[in-house]
Amino acid sequence: MIERIIFINGQEKRVSGEPEVRLLDLLREGMGLTGTKEGCGEGECGACSILINSEVVNSCLFLLGQLNDGDRVETIEGLEKDGRLSVLQDCFVKRGAIQCGFCTPGMIMAAEALLRKNKKPSPEEVRESIAGNICRCTGYSKIVEAILEAADRR
Amino acid sequence: MKYFKPKSLTEALDLLSDEKTRFEILAGGTDLIVQWRSSPIKPNGMIDINQVEELKNIVETDEYIEIGALCTHRMIAQSKIVQIHLTPLSDACRSVGAIQIQNRGTIGGNIANASPAGDLPPALVVYNCELELSSIYGRRWLRLRDFFLDYRKIDKAPEEMITRFRIPLPIEYTDVKFYKIGTRKAQAVSKAAICFGATLRLSSGQAHEKIIEKISIAAASMGPTVVTASKTEGLLTENEIDEDLIRDAGRSLANEFHPIDDIRSTAKYRSTVCGNLLVRFLKNL
């Protein structure tokens, strides 16, 4: 049994469990934060993408033990403020970048990580930033457009 | 599961020195966690080395560029030292998986995993990379190309761990290029990946032809470990680059490797594409 004191979507929380528990399961089962999805469980699809200290990682490959005290974990639930969608989320909705929605949380977290580091990315940079996120529905065009529009509006 | 998170290299080496605490080393986990999931045998414990800060540095000295074993692919790709002096290594790091994997996977883990398709070894071998193995008994350096003994077999004792990599300076090449052939631009295990390093000089004659003083070739997914091509290297060395030499070199390389057919590609395709990439590299010199 191990314990860590971390920030989840800005809130300080003490988490505990077996060190080999996946962060994905800690979030979904342990905390009811089911926005983060399991697609493949092996780091190939990106559906489980979250931010840790503003870096996008696959939560299916991140173990509880690997967390350090003070780490800032952010999930899709953390992007909205006071019930209002973030600019990035709003662009996805308005641009039709969402069909079944399963890839969307991970896709948005990957885009969020990009826009924090690169305020005005090129289309190529956007595509490279979401290369670890598979979408079976949209063909990616509207996703890329949504991210580029969000970059303009932020 | 017994779980250890040493805060220093000394602590980690102590754990490795004792059979009772000699568990698998966990760095980023992007290879290990996938393997644990697909194996029916779960590990009894792990040594999480993510807090061993001394293994996370990239340093340029007079003699070497040193990269700590815990440097992530992203850290290496973003490093100014690497971008300026070792650009193809930065390209190789950016070709591993995707950004989510690059943010966690480490160079030490990539090398210890010893996949024949590992993207980093071709570039590292071309740059004559050495690695440091440490234990409580001391440290030793060896050439990266000598570290891989056979398919997923490495020259590492149970109580040792990889701690550093170093690339000797100055870099002798005038041109270095890394190519990766895969099904996609990201999240692709390569069908073939190859790195070429060449030192060119101009001939003293009127025509000022380009002469290859030295060339290094290293490839992934072309054998049980990273492989080199001494025959083709010999064919090219101290020769003027002309159409005949380029064509002959391409043919030589296509015949020098002995890849296999597998789920990703065929031996014939792999050999052909390596030959073609050499031709492309030479034409662009």
Side-chain angles (χ1 to χ4, degrees):
Chain A
M1 221 28 186
I2 56 154
E3 216 176 64
R4 299 281 185 264
I5 300 172
I6 56 171
F7 294 93
I8 304 257
N9 295 326
Q11 269 206 325
E12 198 175 35
K13 271 198 155 59
R14 174 177 312 220
V15 295
S16 61
E18 294 305 317
E20 69 267 25
V21 165
R22 301 180 309 173
L23 192 48
L24 175 63
D25 297 318
L26 180 75
L27 294 168
R28 289 181 55 85
E29 315 295 329
M31 298 181 173
L33 292 169
T34 53
T36 308
K37 311 297 183 196
E38 176 160 15
C40 71
E42 38 180 53
E44 296 275 356
C45 76
C48 68
S49 298
I50 56 163
L51 301 189
I52 297 191
N53 303 326
S54 290
E55 287 189 337
V56 65
V57 299
N58 294 125
S59 60
C60 70
L61 296 183
F62 204 108
L63 306 182
L64 176 54
Q66 291 177 300
L67 284 171
N68 295 316
D69 286 336
D71 275 343
R72 294 173 290 116
V73 176
E74 291 174 85
T75 68
I76 188 70
E77 290 90 346
L79 291 192
E80 67 182 66
K81 293 282 179 281
D82 303 318
R84 295 192 59 180
L85 296 179
S86 72
V87 169
L88 181 56
Q89 288 171 301
D90 189 56
C91 287
F92 265 67
V93 172
K94 297 247 169 58
R95 281 268 174 175
I98 306 167
Q99 288 189 28
C100 81
F102 202 78
C103 78
T104 306
M107 194 71 75
I108 289 180
M109 298 317 284
E112 176 67 29
L114 169 74
L115 294 179
R116 286 186 191 182
K117 291 203 169 73
N118 185 348
K119 290 193 166 43
K120 291 280 176 267
S122 66
E124 291 72 36
E125 286 168 325
V126 169
R127 285 183 178 271
E128 188 171 353
S129 77
I130 58 170
N133 296 77
I134 299 178
C135 174
R136 294 291 280 120
C137 299
T138 67
Y140 304 100
S141 317
K142 291 192 197 290
I143 291 175
V144 174
E145 285 170 21
I147 297 169
L148 288 169
E149 181 182 318
D152 272 340
R153 282 175 51 189
R154 272 161 72 125
Chain B
M1 190 189 278
K2 294 203 180 65
Y3 179 83
F4 300 95
K5 197 159 186 176
K7 290 192 177 47
S8 72
L9 181 57
T10 316
E11 223 185 300
L13 296 180
D14 279 338
L15 288 167
L16 282 174
S17 70
D18 184 349
E19 269 181 10
K20 287 196 286 306
T21 56
R22 188 179 296 156
F23 297 114
E24 280 186 275
I25 292 180
L26 176 69
T30 54
D31 280 323
L32 215 49
I33 295 171
V34 177
Q35 288 163 8
W36 286 344
R37 271 173 66 84
S38 54
S39 162
I41 306 166
K42 304 299 176 198
N44 291 325
M46 55 176 141
I47 302 174
D48 176 352
I49 56 169
N50 283 287
Q51 281 190 332
V52 181
E53 297 296 322
E54 59 210 273
L55 298 180
K56 296 181 185 176
N57 299 313
I58 300 176
V59 178
E60 184 180 352
T61 69
D62 286 334
E63 293 182 71
Y64 297 102
I65 292 175
E66 282 185 12
I67 301 174
L70 269 185
C71 289
T72 63
H73 296 105
R74 177 107 171 135
M75 282 167 64
I76 298 170
Q78 302 275 85
S79 151
K80 286 281 177 288
I81 295 172
V82 173
Q83 284 180 352
I84 291 169
H85 298 288
L86 307 169
T87 318
L89 179 60
S90 175
D91 294 338
C93 287
R94 285 172 63 192
S95 78
V96 175
I99 182 83
Q100 290 92 332
I101 300 293
Q102 293 164 26
N103 277 333
R104 297 294 298 162
T106 64
I107 182 172
N110 187 266
I111 299 312
N113 187 52
S115 162
D119 297 310
L120 268 48
L124 293 171
V125 166
V126 162
Y127 283 121
N128 299 307
C129 183
E130 298 167 329
L131 76 150
E132 179 189 59
L133 290 164
S134 303
S135 72
I136 57 165
Y137 307 113
R139 299 164 179 246
R140 62 183 177 111
W141 286 94
L142 63 157
R143 295 193 312 172
L144 182 70
R145 61 200 294 168
D146 298 330
F147 181 64
F148 300 110
L149 301 171
D150 203 336
Y151 177 71
R152 293 189 189 266
K153 272 193 67 187
I154 53 179
D155 181 6
K156 185 185 80 67
E159 70 274 7
E160 286 180 316
M161 66 180 269
I162 301 172
T163 41
R164 276 186 297 182
F165 296 84
R166 70 183 182 194
I167 288 167
L169 296 174
I171 308 292
E172 51 188 326
Y173 303 115
T174 52
D175 297 78
V176 188
K177 200 96 174 69
F178 171 77
Y179 301 97
K180 177 174 175 177
I181 303 295
T183 318
R184 292 165 295 278
K185 280 186 180 172
Q187 296 286 40
V189 178
S190 71
K191 298 172 193 273
I194 192 162
C195 189
F196 304 109
T199 309
L200 288 188
R201 71 164 192 273
L202 292 178
S203 73
S204 44
Q206 283 236 329
H208 287 309
E209 292 295 336
K210 295 179 191 147
I211 296 181
I212 297 180
E213 254 179 33
K214 183 175 162 61
I215 181 150
S216 295
I217 302 172
S221 295
M222 300 302 289
T225 67
V226 59
V227 290
T228 55
S230 50
K231 211 161 134 258
T232 305
E233 288 170 358
L235 185 71
L236 286 166
T237 307
E238 285 300 326
N239 273 318
E240 252 175 46
I241 303 178
D242 58 27
E243 268 186 39
D244 288 335
L245 183 71
I246 293 178
R247 188 198 57 232
D248 291 344
R251 284 208 189 120
S252 168
L253 191 61
N255 288 314
E256 189 163 2
F257 294 137
H258 303 288
I260 59 170
D261 293 343
D262 67 13
I263 193 173
R264 280 177 292 280
S265 186
T266 63
K268 184 152 192 271
Y269 178 85
R270 291 176 145 130
S271 292
T272 308
V273 83
C274 282
N276 290 343
L277 287 170
L278 176 59
V279 168
R280 182 188 294 186
F281 174 70
L282 293 172
K283 282 190 172 160
N284 284 329
L285 284 177

